Amino acid sequence: MLTITQALYDQIVAHARADHPDEACGVVAGPAGTDRPERFIPMLNAAMSPTFYEFDSGDLLKLYREMDDRDEEPVVIYHSHTATEAYPSRTDISYANEPGAHYVLVSTADTDGLGDFQFRSFRIVDGQVTEEEVRVVTDY
């Protein structure tokens, strides 16, 4: 289960909406070994595409060095889908290389009739996708 604060949830959704029609992407870092998302880090979609996201390799290297210096790890890796449901694509699955991370997808398309976005979380390990419950809390 992903437990995330309302503030972080709102920041991820706001980023997805702001970058629409392109896919948004980013990371929420947390203290190593805690599985607690704390620090919101929006990233630039280097692909600048409505159907694909890509972290800039220089930005990503800088982020991992910074997290290492702060004894953090990527707890949440998020991106948006602009025209499809919030479910990992084959490309998303092939690029998922953090088995301990929660992969959050936000769809900015109303694909289920329940509103203008979906917020879902998955674990992706060795190509296997498992959806998990999302629990939104006021604080930890």
Side-chain angles (χ1 to χ4, degrees):
M1 172 181 5
L2 169 62
T3 301
I4 190 167
T5 64
Q6 184 70 56
L8 288 169
Y9 179 99
D10 291 345
Q11 287 178 297
I12 292 169
V13 170
H15 185 202
R17 286 181 169 156
D19 281 13
H20 188 87
D22 288 339
E23 290 192 2
C25 58
V27 173
V28 183
T34 66
D35 197 40
R36 189 174 66 234
E38 291 185 353
R39 189 166 64 97
F40 176 71
I41 308 158
M43 303 284 284
L44 173 69
N45 178 355
M48 298 174 73
S49 166
T51 59
F52 180 75
Y53 84 97
E54 180 177 33
F55 292 121
D56 176 84
S57 59
D59 290 347
L60 197 58
L61 179 60
K62 180 181 171 190
L63 171 62
Y64 272 82
R65 285 181 174 157
E66 184 180 286
M67 286 190 300
D68 190 50
D69 289 346
R70 297 170 62 122
D71 198 27
E72 293 176 328
E73 62 190 7
V75 178
V76 170
I77 298 172
Y78 73 88
H79 76 281
S80 62
H81 283 180
T82 61
T84 59
E85 72 173 318
Y87 190 85
S89 68
R90 284 191 306 264
T91 303
D92 297 338
I93 295 165
S94 70
Y95 284 176
N97 62 358
E98 288 287 348
H102 302 270
Y103 285 88
V104 165
L105 278 103
V106 175
S107 175
T108 53
D110 182 4
T111 58
D112 59 7
L114 298 176
D116 60 352
F117 74 93
Q118 298 172 334
F119 187 107
R120 297 167 73 184
S121 184
F122 304 87
R123 295 292 191 153
I124 305 174
V125 179
D126 296 329
Q128 298 297 312
V129 177
T130 306
E131 186 165 7
E132 62 183 353
E133 181 182 343
V134 176
R135 185 170 65 119
V136 181
V137 297
T138 304
D139 52 43
Y140 303 121

